[in-house]
Amino acid sequence: MADSSLLADASTRLETALMYVAISEDAIARLQYPKASVSVSIPLRRDNGSLEIFRGYRVRYDDTRGPAKGGVRYHPNVSLDEMESLAFWMTFKCALLNLPYGGAKGGITLNPKALSKHELERLSRSYIDTIADFIGPDADILAPDMYTNATVMGWMMDQYSIIQRRITPGVVTGKPISMGGSQGRETATATGAFHVINTLLPKFDQPPHRTTVAIQGFGNVGAMLAQLLSQVGYCVVAISDSQGSIYASQGLDIPSIRRYKMASKALQAVYCESSVCNIVEHEVISNADLLKLDVDVLIPAALEKQITVDNAHSIQAKYIFEVANGPTTSAADKVLEKKGIFVFPDILVNAGGVTVSYFEWVQNRSGLYWTSEEVNQRLKERITLETEKTWAMADEFDVSMRTASYIHALQRIGEAMDAMGTRDFYSSHD
Ligand code: GLU
């Protein structure tokens, strides 16, 4: 593993957790590398008739606890290293939430905004054609991730079903409701993060009305979470998108900003729901400055590697809830810990999405569909339970919540690996 890679950085969290967990040497050895990675070339016939080839990946990090599970990302930064790291995080995330899954991730290196809707559909179907033998409802299950959504999942499920000559909803989660999707999936990551925040902040005697929040990333998850938090009284003072950030010390009117953003695709602070809309007094700040704001809670909800040794010293927030995958490097973790900043890790905070993906898969397999109340209740119960267990483990081992999350997940993965005995001895292709 190259030391500068994202996966090498991710693995350091595993090494720390291993100091506290008694798992076998075999299990440790297995967890060092992804089980399988496929790298594919995906042909796309552009609307103008030309042929373009895109690079794509699907990585299965581990599937000891069940079929591999993880999203598909469309982004210019997608690389094999990134996919392997994200699949690694999925493995621990699923184990932490006690879902019967291993971890996977996939993606295509592209700028999705540069393609027409028809091109995106053809590319998504073409991706499934190239990886069809690698995935399946009992092998590896896809889901949305950055710049993919329910529409894309619908195309993928349909393409897989065409290949299999049978309707196979369980191969993809996060589908449109009309194609076997689950109630509550679209808002699940934000809702899960909301429950984690509401479970943990009271332990610090930090009530919503005395808590200022800055959120980096105003996509599906960041925007929904901003809304949920502001609804119960948290003061969301700053938000950002890829273009920049807006800040208002008195708090931003999140519902109207969401509506404005959806209508115009731009980020703008507006208020007045009933009459004329005015621009709220706000400052435009850089994305880098948002991270350094003097707020109680900082929520990175965009890309990985946002908090590094270069800016960790300037962070003033007391609590960081990682909604993005991998926003903090392991070196930055040490700086934050020294500064007394509490970091609540991605594999816990953003696990609501995959938890409701699991519920969707269960519904697909049983054919019985749940109400949004049932889904939300089950999500709340599961994520609150595992948050409390992780909190207790942090206390027991006197470690950070990140290390406690890995210890908790690792115990479950290690136990499953050891239960498999000497399977490697009998298997020629493992
Ligand atoms: N992409 C999401 C994640 O990183 C969801 C994965 C899933 O639902 O399988 O957790």
Side-chain angles (χ1 to χ4, degrees):
M1 248 180 265
D3 276 342
S4 59
S5 81
L6 202 54
L7 181 58
D9 194 61
S11 303
T12 60
R13 271 70 184 256
L14 175 59
E15 280 154 30
T16 310
L18 281 169
M19 300 192 307
Y20 302 89
V21 188
I23 66 168
S24 68
E25 290 296 321
D26 286 12
I28 296 172
R30 277 174 169 279
L31 283 169
Q32 299 305 311
Y33 298 100
K35 183 171 178 181
S37 303
V38 291
S39 171
V40 293
S41 304
I42 313 158
L44 169 71
R45 184 68 63 189
R46 300 292 303 258
D47 290 343
N48 66 10
S50 66
L51 183 72
E52 201 168 322
I53 310 291
F54 290 84
R55 300 309 312 272
Y57 308 92
R58 185 75 189 167
V59 174
R60 189 176 303 165
Y61 201 91
D62 180 67
D63 58 3
T64 311
R65 302 184 79 253
K69 182 83 189 81
V72 181
R73 173 173 293 201
Y74 288 177
H75 196 273
N77 291 352
V78 164
S79 65
L80 184 60
D81 176 42
E82 186 193 44
M83 294 298 105
E84 291 186 344
S85 316
L86 286 159
F88 170 93
W89 287 318
M90 284 308 301
T91 304
F92 287 87
K93 194 187 300 186
C94 291
L96 182 61
L97 269 286
N98 210 7
L99 309 177
Y101 288 144
K105 202 70 160 204
I108 306 178
T109 315
L110 86 158
N111 172 9
K113 293 175 186 166
L115 296 187
S116 72
K117 190 173 176 193
H118 281 128
E119 287 173 336
L120 267 183
E121 177 177 347
R122 287 198 293 280
L123 186 66
S124 304
R125 289 183 184 273
S126 195
Y127 175 62
I128 296 301
D129 283 340
T130 59
I131 62 163
D133 292 335
F134 194 68
I135 59 173
D138 297 308
D140 179 351
I141 305 143
L142 317 186
D145 197 81
M146 204 170 279
Y147 290 117
T148 56
N149 56 18
T151 308
V152 176
M153 295 306 113
W155 296 329
M156 290 184 173
M157 187 286 253
D158 185 51
Q159 189 62 24
Y160 187 80
S161 297
I162 290 170
I163 296 166
Q164 297 299 318
R165 290 181 166 273
R166 58 176 62 84
I167 305 299
T168 317
V171 69
V172 173
T173 59
K175 302 178 290 292
I177 304 270
S178 57
M179 293 177 78
S182 176
Q183 299 290 340
R185 175 61 186 84
E186 198 132 28
T187 51
T189 307
T191 309
F194 178 69
H195 292 315
V196 173
I197 293 170
N198 282 335
T199 307
L200 292 171
L201 281 186
K203 299 185 189 300
F204 297 89
D205 197 19
Q206 183 74 51
H209 64 276
R210 278 201 280 111
T211 305
T212 51
V213 182
I215 304 181
Q216 184 203 39
F218 206 64
N220 171 31
V221 183
M224 186 67 211
L225 180 57
Q227 176 131 338
L228 291 171
L229 291 172
S230 62
Q231 266 165 8
V232 297
Y234 289 94
C235 185
V236 180
V237 294
I239 55 171
S240 73
D241 66 9
S242 53
Q243 313 295 314
S245 315
I246 52 178
Y247 170 77
S249 57
Q250 78 278 20
L252 295 160
D253 182 354
I254 300 300
S256 61
I257 296 172
R258 279 189 78 203
R259 260 186 296 278
Y260 189 88
K261 167 100 180 162
M262 265 174 224
S264 66
K265 304 268 180 236
L267 197 55
Q268 180 69 280
V270 287
Y271 77 111
C272 287
E273 284 312 302
S274 47
S275 57
V276 196
C277 273
N278 295 307
I279 307 296
V280 125
E281 279 298 311
H282 68 270
E283 248 176 87
V284 174
I285 58 172
S286 71
N287 273 334
D289 286 341
L290 178 139
L291 297 174
K292 300 175 192 163
L293 284 173
D294 184 9
V295 286
D296 298 304
V297 172
L298 175 64
I299 301 183
L303 280 166
E304 54 266 20
K305 272 192 176 168
Q306 297 301 298
I307 304 175
T308 65
V309 274
D310 297 330
N311 63 2
H313 292 282
S314 350
I315 296 213
Q316 300 190 65
K318 296 190 204 116
Y319 314 98
I320 298 176
F321 287 87
E322 296 182 333
V323 165
N325 286 307
T328 314
T329 63
S330 57
D333 257 354
K334 294 199 181 88
V335 178
L336 298 172
E337 205 165 330
K338 267 208 193 104
K339 286 180 65 138
I341 298 172
F342 290 90
V343 180
F344 301 104
D346 47 5
I347 59 169
L348 174 67
V349 178
N350 73 26
V354 70
T355 302
V356 178
S357 276
Y358 165 57
F359 297 158
E360 180 172 327
W361 181 76
V362 168
Q363 292 170 78
N364 291 153
R365 290 162 87 87
S366 72
L368 181 67
Y369 285 82
W370 309 345
T371 62
S372 57
E373 288 74 23
E374 278 174 284
V375 171
N376 286 329
Q377 187 52 32
R378 285 178 200 259
L379 169 61
K380 186 175 180 181
E381 270 168 27
R382 189 176 281 252
I383 205 157
T384 308
L385 176 75
E386 298 303 337
T387 303
E388 290 288 7
K389 283 189 184 171
T390 309
W391 177 259
M393 216 160 253
D395 188 44
E396 181 187 337
F397 291 100
D398 193 21
V399 292
S400 68
M401 278 293 274
R402 174 145 12 242
T403 300
S405 303
Y406 279 89
I407 295 174
H408 192 20
L410 197 53
Q411 283 176 339
R412 287 180 174 147
I413 298 169
E415 199 179 316
M417 283 182 169
D418 292 344
M420 287 189 173
T422 53
R423 92 198 276 238
D424 294 349
F425 187 78
Y426 299 97
S427 162
S428 57
H429 51 261
D430 207 20

